[in-house]
Amino acid sequence: MSIDNRYTYEKAGVSIDAGNALVRAIGPLVKATRRPGADGEIGGFGGFFDPKAAGYNDPLLVAGNDGVGTKLKLAIEHDRHDGVGIDLVAMCVNDLIVQGAEPLFFLDYFATGKLENGVAERVIAGIAQGCTSAGCALIGGETAEMPGMYAPGDYDLAGFCVGAVERGEQLTGERVAPGHVLLGLASSGVHSNGFSLVRRLAADKAWDLNAEFGGAGTLLDALIEPTRIYVKSLLPVVRGGKIDALAHITGGGLLENIPRVLPEGTHAVVDADDWEQPALMAFLQAQGNIEPAEMARTFNCGIGMILAVQPELAGEFVAELEEAGEQVVHVGEISAGGRGCTVRGAAGTWGAEEPWEAVFTA
């Protein structure tokens, strides 16, 4: 058989050398995420983590996984790969902190048809940056090169995170009761939900994504801004034991995420008049002629995290979280009623011509 007729994995479209080169390139990034409990080494068949070395006595482990969704298409189409790794980490670690858990370690899955020079490194550098921001270690992952599975240039991401909380200190929402105050932490933009609608609007309305927007960059900059990671600002107050519930505002928006942490007999009432609609959200709503109720169940509407606290403690929380760098606003309260959420606004709020409300029953 001639040399030209000999089959190799590389001729089938998979470069083992490229994969090995990627592992070498990301080694320093992984080491930079080292923390007590993890040694920061990769390359084995699995990653070890020692909860005792992380300071836990009787921990409950909390695990979560997520992706970035179609925001990846925006990143791919415009060569903006550097921030989507942060999005990936944020979507996972923010889901852990709402249960009272400190994120401990993270693993990623990067899949593509062909490893492109530098793209995977840029994505994983963002993952490492996100892990550093959240205080968790990147202890491993998988890079899959799968010819024929993805269009040229395309890739997909998934993230897996494990956290811990001392037994008895987990947040379950069971203490939430009528009269509790709802505080909101500002989002950094669209975060990682609603991008199928965003991309549809961009195509139908022929947006110039390079146009200046809001005086702080381009429209593309505003849309691609990574999801805010709330872990380091929230962990101290969570461990203080005075937060009764947290809700991460992701797919389903304000309307459907808050009830996920409420006990039976409680109903969240969110007053959209209490904070100013961010310019990006107003732009999306106007461009799509989107009803306020649809905004409330699709986007975070400027609020990335909700806290339920006793009213006498609200001022204390606002001061502590602002000191930690968060923008905090009062967004509503808990009332007696069926488990669910109502988001309402006056005429003029979110562009409405008359008073409005959106109701979700869990």
Side-chain angles (χ1 to χ4, degrees):
M1 179 182 291
S2 72
I3 292 177
D4 288 343
N5 289 332
R6 293 175 181 171
Y7 282 79
T8 66
Y9 210 8
E10 187 151 11
K11 284 184 178 180
V14 178
S15 173
I16 294 175
D17 290 340
N20 290 337
L22 176 61
V23 171
R24 290 192 297 272
I26 66 175
L29 301 173
V30 173
K31 286 185 178 181
T33 70
R34 181 181 294 157
R35 57 152 294 154
D39 61 13
E41 298 292 337
I42 58 168
F45 288 99
F48 286 96
F49 192 92
D50 181 359
K52 184 166 285 188
Y56 286 89
N57 297 312
D58 185 19
L60 295 174
L61 297 182
V62 185
N65 71 295
D66 213 328
V68 181
T70 59
K71 188 175 186 177
L72 286 180
K73 289 295 289 183
L74 199 64
I76 291 165
E77 290 165 359
H78 298 278
D79 191 30
R80 299 294 288 268
H81 310 286
D82 305 88
V84 290
I86 300 174
D87 282 300
L88 183 67
V89 175
M91 296 303 289
C92 295
V93 299
N94 286 341
D95 278 353
L96 296 189
I97 191 65
V98 301
Q99 296 170 93
E102 175 192 13
L104 299 178
F105 61 87
F106 191 89
L107 299 99
D108 69 277
Y109 176 78
F110 178 97
T112 187
K114 180 177 175 57
L115 283 173
E116 300 287 347
N117 238 355
V119 172
E121 289 95 323
R122 290 166 64 189
V123 172
I124 295 170
I127 293 172
Q129 183 180 342
C131 285
T132 300
S133 296
C136 65
L138 178 58
I139 66 169
E142 168 70 1
T143 302
E145 194 173 22
M146 300 188 289
M149 286 289 289
Y150 297 89
D154 277 356
Y155 59 85
D156 199 10
L157 285 176
F160 309 85
C161 195
V162 173
V165 57
E166 292 288 5
R167 190 179 304 274
E169 296 180 6
Q170 64 269 28
L171 280 179
T172 63
E174 63 186 12
R175 299 195 305 262
V176 176
H180 271 60
V181 169
L182 296 177
L183 302 177
L185 305 187
S187 67
S188 55
V190 184
H191 284 185
S192 298
N193 297 102
F195 271 90
S196 293
L197 177 53
V198 170
R199 292 176 53 251
R200 176 65 180 269
L201 284 171
D204 289 355
K205 303 297 182 180
W207 290 349
D208 178 3
L209 293 176
N210 293 315
E212 287 294 317
F213 184 84
T218 65
L219 177 56
L220 179 60
D221 291 332
L223 292 171
I224 210 76
E225 180 71 22
T227 304
R228 185 164 180 80
I229 293 174
Y230 298 98
V231 172
K232 287 190 175 178
S233 58
L234 281 174
L235 192 58
V237 294
V238 166
R239 286 177 167 168
K242 297 178 181 177
I243 288 181
D244 291 325
L246 285 168
H248 183 201
I249 309 305
T250 56
L254 292 161
L255 199 61
E256 297 186 11
N257 279 289
I258 301 174
R260 295 169 65 181
V261 298
L262 298 182
E264 292 296 335
T266 58
H267 191 91
V269 180
V270 175
D271 191 343
D273 301 339
D274 281 356
W275 74 97
E276 186 176 350
Q277 186 183 38
L280 182 58
M281 295 296 164
F283 172 78
L284 295 173
Q285 184 177 12
Q287 288 285 296
N289 192 27
I290 303 170
E291 291 292 329
E294 182 70 11
M295 291 293 293
R297 68 189 299 267
T298 302
F299 298 111
N300 64 57
C301 301
I303 303 297
M305 188 73 73
I306 294 284
L307 296 74
V309 302
Q310 296 176 40
E312 64 271 19
L313 299 176
E316 175 184 329
F317 279 116
V318 170
E320 189 167 348
L321 289 165
E322 287 181 342
E323 179 68 22
E326 300 293 348
Q327 297 178 48
V328 190
V329 293
H330 175 279
V331 298
E333 61 184 19
I334 299 296
S335 65
R339 182 166 164 261
C341 180
T342 297
V343 181
R344 64 190 181 193
T349 299
W350 295 6
E353 295 182 355
E354 56 187 29
W356 58 272
E357 70 174 28
V359 180
F360 173 75
T361 301

